[in-house]
């Protein structure tokens, strides 16, 4: 229900502002107001006739995941003359490892984020714009939980989303790139039973970070904003 509510809210807002959005390359629209949000959840389903705009999921429900139907959904919108827009998932787990609290149980387990951008002793500015550095001589589990590391996680997530979208645009035979269309940011929270985890520091009781107790609400918010 959480996901459905969010999707309806996004489409409602999009329909309201469709006439004032930045112009994007598009074919003739089917109508003047209605549009659809399609995502990985609609893979394998028969889609309706496209509306004036189509907001298409790039990430498969969470950062760094893949919507396996991205190319076919872009082709569906293209064939229907629908204005193509995209959305990407966002999060800040503060990884690389969180403590996962199982719903209705006192048991916990570790939940690993392989894409957390912590690096030993040095960093690559081409992929991590800000220095997110670990010292191999220490065992500080909090060392990679910084505002800079959170910034790099968001940067890498956005880069990953764009690269997948660009490849899908080429496969669908579009003459323009994802730089030319409107992007939406999908903000959700995670649940312990939901493998499509979009975690935010201080907002997910199902997940906690080893450093949470050492940070104020403002410090966690600064990481989320970065």
């Amino acid at each position: 229900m959480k996901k459905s509510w969010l999707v309806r809210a996004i489409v409602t807002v999009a329909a309201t502002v469709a006439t004032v959005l930045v112009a994007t390359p598009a074919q003739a629209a089917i109508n003047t107001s209605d549009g659809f949000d399609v995502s990985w959840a609609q893979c394998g389903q028969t889609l309706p006739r496209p509306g004036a705009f189509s907001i298409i999921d790039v990430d498969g429900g969470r950062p760094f995941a893949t919507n396996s139907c991205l190319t076919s959904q872009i082709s569906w919108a293209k064939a229907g003359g629908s204005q193509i827009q995209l959305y990407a998932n966002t999060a800040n787990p503060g990884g690389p490892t969180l403590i996962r609290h199982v719903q209705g149980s006192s048991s916990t387990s570790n939940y690993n984020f392989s894409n957390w951008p912590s690096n030993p002793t040095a960093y690559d500015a081409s992929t991590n714009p800000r220095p997110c550095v670990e010292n191999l001589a220490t065992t500080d589990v909090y060392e990679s939980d910084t505002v800079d590391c959170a910034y790099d996680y968001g940067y890498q997530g956005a880069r990953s989303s764009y690269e997948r979208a660009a490849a899908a645009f080429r496969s669908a035979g579009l003459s323009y790139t994802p730089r030319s269309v409107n992007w939406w940011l999908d903000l959700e929270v995670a649940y312990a039973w939901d493998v499509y985890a979009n975690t935010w520091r201080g907002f997910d009781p199902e997940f906690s970070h080893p450093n949470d107790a050492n940070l104020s609400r403002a410090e966690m918010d600064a990481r989320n904003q970065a």
Side-chain angles (χ1 to χ4, degrees):
M1 296 303 294
K2 161 181 64 74
K3 177 68 175 177
S4 297
W5 178 88
L6 181 66
V7 167
R8 286 198 299 270
I10 288 177
V11 172
T12 299
V13 171
T16 301
V17 301
T19 58
V20 297
L21 292 173
V22 176
T24 61
Q27 295 76 27
I30 299 302
N31 55 48
T32 59
S33 61
D34 294 334
F36 293 96
D37 173 320
V38 294
S39 72
W40 62 272
Q42 281 75 52
C43 287
Q45 298 181 14
T46 300
L47 298 177
R49 187 183 183 191
F53 59 90
S54 300
I55 307 177
I56 301 171
D57 162 42
V58 173
D59 295 322
R62 61 176 172 173
F64 299 101
T66 300
N67 174 7
S68 61
C69 299
L70 179 57
T71 298
S72 63
Q73 289 173 351
I74 289 173
S75 297
W76 160 80
K78 174 190 174 186
S82 181
Q83 183 196 64
I84 294 172
Q85 303 181 33
L86 302 171
Y87 76 84
N89 284 89
T90 59
N92 173 38
T97 300
L98 301 187
I99 301 169
R100 185 173 186 172
H101 305 271
V102 180
Q103 184 191 29
S105 170
S106 59
S107 63
T108 62
S109 61
N110 286 341
Y111 193 89
N112 298 315
F113 288 82
S114 60
N115 297 107
W116 190 254
S118 53
N119 294 287
T121 68
Y123 76 101
D124 182 352
S126 65
T127 55
N128 291 351
R130 297 184 181 180
C132 175
V133 181
E134 290 182 278
N135 183 350
L136 293 180
T138 73
T139 58
D140 185 356
V141 296
Y142 310 146
E143 195 167 20
S144 64
D145 180 26
T146 67
V147 170
D148 287 340
C149 291
Y151 182 96
D152 288 345
Y153 180 82
Y155 175 89
Q156 290 183 17
R159 180 173 177 168
S160 174
S161 297
Y162 183 84
E163 289 173 350
R164 282 195 303 280
F169 271 44
R170 291 192 296 269
S171 296
L174 293 179
S175 61
Y176 53 95
T177 73
R179 291 180 182 271
S180 303
V181 307
N182 294 305
W183 283 76
W184 297 78
L185 301 180
D186 188 357
L187 287 84
E188 302 184 37
V189 293
Y191 292 88
W193 61 89
D194 180 3
V195 296
Y196 293 95
N198 299 267
T199 64
W200 294 95
R201 294 299 298 280
F203 287 96
D204 296 303
E206 293 80 15
F207 290 91
S208 62
H209 190 281
N211 197 29
D212 282 350
N214 300 320
L215 298 177
S216 67
R217 171 75 273 166
E219 289 171 323
M220 285 191 278
D221 283 347
R223 285 158 171 77
N224 291 333
Q225 290 166 12

